[in-house]
Amino acid sequence: MDKRETMEINLKQQKVISDPLRSRIIALLYEEPMTPKQTADKVGKNPGTIYYHIQQLYKHDILEIDHVSTEKGIVEKYYRAKAMVYKNTEKETPANHVGGSQSHMYLSDELLKELNEEVQELFFKYAHLSYKETAEQKAYEVDFRIKVI
């Protein structure tokens, strides 16, 4: 697993990334470093709006500058996301919870269907593997939910 994939964050950072547009920016900048203008073109938004959101993410240590280039005297900063998955270390977890994660994402109906199918296959795989396992086991309820934000 790429060391950039998961990053522990605090409550303030959690609030900053909870905006769906910012989550989309993070996902794009995880895939490849881009300038605010390039990012704005990808998401179809005003460059000024995207620049503001990128600055907020950078200020709160979610993004970093990947590299800087100069084109015809214009300095362009390329930003990249430090991780794809963020785990809030300050969040209170109920006593019986042992793990989990959360992610905001934009999905088409087709991608949503594909995600559901893959998760169901994953559930089946681990349920099947548990019958073969000989080590001591505990009972877990695994809950997978998707909600519109």
Side-chain angles (χ1 to χ4, degrees):
M1 189 183 277
D2 185 332
K3 73 177 189 169
R4 284 193 316 134
E5 282 191 34
T6 303
M7 178 177 154
E8 291 185 353
I9 58 172
N10 59 38
L11 288 172
K12 195 172 217 176
Q13 289 170 310
Q14 178 69 45
K15 185 175 180 184
V16 169
I17 68 172
S18 66
D19 178 274
L21 178 57
R22 290 182 182 172
S23 295
R24 191 170 188 190
I25 291 168
I26 291 166
L28 287 170
L29 295 178
Y30 181 79
E31 294 298 322
E32 71 175 297
M34 288 187 272
T35 65
K37 171 73 170 100
Q38 292 169 329
T39 308
D41 290 344
K42 286 256 188 183
V43 298
K45 298 282 185 187
N46 178 299
T49 300
I50 297 303
Y51 178 79
Y52 170 79
H53 287 294
I54 285 177
Q55 289 308 303
Q56 291 300 306
L57 292 166
Y58 178 73
K59 175 181 159 186
H60 289 90
D61 209 28
I62 302 299
L63 301 180
E64 62 190 0
I65 296 174
D66 183 74
H67 66 280
V68 178
S69 72
T70 306
E71 277 295 314
K72 299 179 184 174
I74 298 172
V75 176
E76 293 183 315
K77 293 179 182 175
Y78 286 75
Y79 294 88
R80 75 178 180 119
K82 290 187 170 186
M84 186 64 198
V85 176
Y86 298 86
K87 294 195 179 240
N88 187 340
T89 56
E90 296 178 2
K91 186 188 271 185
E92 287 189 30
T93 304
N96 62 340
H97 284 224
V98 295
S101 63
Q102 177 181 352
S103 179
H104 295 273
M105 57 185 77
Y106 284 79
L107 299 171
S108 65
D109 289 343
E110 185 59 36
L111 283 176
L112 180 60
K113 181 181 175 194
E114 189 177 322
L115 174 63
N116 270 315
E117 289 170 359
E118 287 185 30
V119 168
Q120 290 305 314
E121 288 176 23
L122 196 59
F123 281 177
F124 179 78
K125 172 187 170 184
Y126 280 89
H128 182 70
L129 288 173
S130 70
Y131 293 115
K132 295 180 180 180
E133 182 68 42
T134 57
E136 182 181 334
Q137 298 179 2
K138 296 178 187 173
Y140 295 98
E141 176 184 313
V142 180
D143 186 13
F144 173 71
R145 297 179 222 195
I146 299 173
K147 63 182 178 179
V148 177
I149 52 175

